[in-house]
Amino acid sequence: MNAASPSSRDRLLDSAEELVAAQGATSLTLDAVAKAAGVSKGGLLYHFPSKDALLEAMVDRHLGQIDRRVEALLASGGRYAANPVLAYVHALLETVPAKRAVGAALLAASATNPALMQPCRLHYARTLERFGALPCGFERAATVLLAVDGLLLGELIHMSPFTPEQRERVVAGIVQLAEACATAPEPGTRPGAAR
């Protein structure tokens, strides 16, 4: 394995995500990731000199995947072109279920070293700032974001009470609210209220 190869780094991150998905966030150790990736611990340390560096890379990659998916949806035109809230909702709902291990790693990172969550806090602040410029107003856009976050967090920590059918209805309701973010609220309606 070529230590300078970008695919080596990605393979290590993939192995870390798979390990957390299969065994939980507490299983994320440098030794376990090296073994899962089929590399020496020295090979792992070349890319990630500490567990914090590995967690930071997992967080950065996850945020980058969401950003790239949002930008691809915005560029695709149609219903997403003028509605970054809708694009963000779809990106989260597509990306996060496939990457639950990253969510578990984020929780582990926040518990072991809250400073590792700084990129997430900055990403969240930039996202809210972007949403604040939309015609629907900051409050409605933020409400949609909080609804998606709540749904996904509940699922991540295994607290979601929803059946698959109920989840589908909740997602449809969130998408409907997100679609309304491309237009200004009618006078006299409160943020997030159905029209």
Side-chain angles (χ1 to χ4, degrees):
M1 178 169 98
N2 180 355
S5 169
S7 62
S8 300
R9 187 176 191 276
D10 284 334
R11 192 171 87 173
L12 290 165
L13 291 171
D14 291 341
S15 294
E17 290 175 8
E18 291 164 9
L19 182 68
V20 173
Q23 300 177 24
T26 57
S27 67
L28 189 67
T29 66
L30 295 180
D31 288 328
V33 172
K35 183 177 178 182
V39 302
S40 68
K41 188 169 180 183
L44 172 70
L45 291 172
Y46 176 85
H47 293 286
F48 308 108
S50 67
K51 182 177 175 180
D52 282 355
L54 176 62
L55 285 166
E56 186 176 354
M58 291 173 74
V59 169
D60 287 345
R61 184 165 85 155
H62 178 63
L63 295 176
Q65 288 169 337
I66 291 171
D67 286 344
R68 284 187 297 279
R69 183 61 182 140
V70 168
E71 294 309 317
L73 287 167
L74 290 171
S76 72
R79 64 194 263 203
Y80 301 108
N83 194 340
V85 175
L86 184 61
Y88 195 80
V89 165
H90 277 281
L92 284 177
L93 292 173
E94 291 171 2
T95 305
V96 175
K99 296 284 188 179
R100 295 216 187 277
V102 177
L106 293 177
L107 287 178
S110 67
T112 59
N113 185 352
L116 293 174
M117 295 303 291
Q118 185 62 17
C120 289
R121 286 188 283 275
L122 292 172
H123 186 269
Y124 207 81
R126 282 193 307 270
T127 300
L128 287 173
E129 184 178 329
R130 184 178 193 182
F131 290 176
L134 294 173
C136 68
F138 169 81
E139 295 85 358
R140 182 172 290 172
T143 299
V144 172
L145 181 59
L146 290 169
V148 173
D149 289 344
L151 175 68
L152 295 175
L153 180 61
E155 292 173 349
L156 181 65
I157 62 174
H158 306 287
M159 292 287 292
S160 177
F162 302 124
T163 65
E165 296 79 19
Q166 289 172 326
R167 185 190 191 276
E168 190 175 315
R169 288 171 32 209
V170 168
V171 167
I174 293 171
V175 168
Q176 184 178 15
L177 288 172
E179 286 173 337
C181 284
T183 60
E186 293 177 6
T189 62
R190 62 184 198 280
R195 295 186 190 196

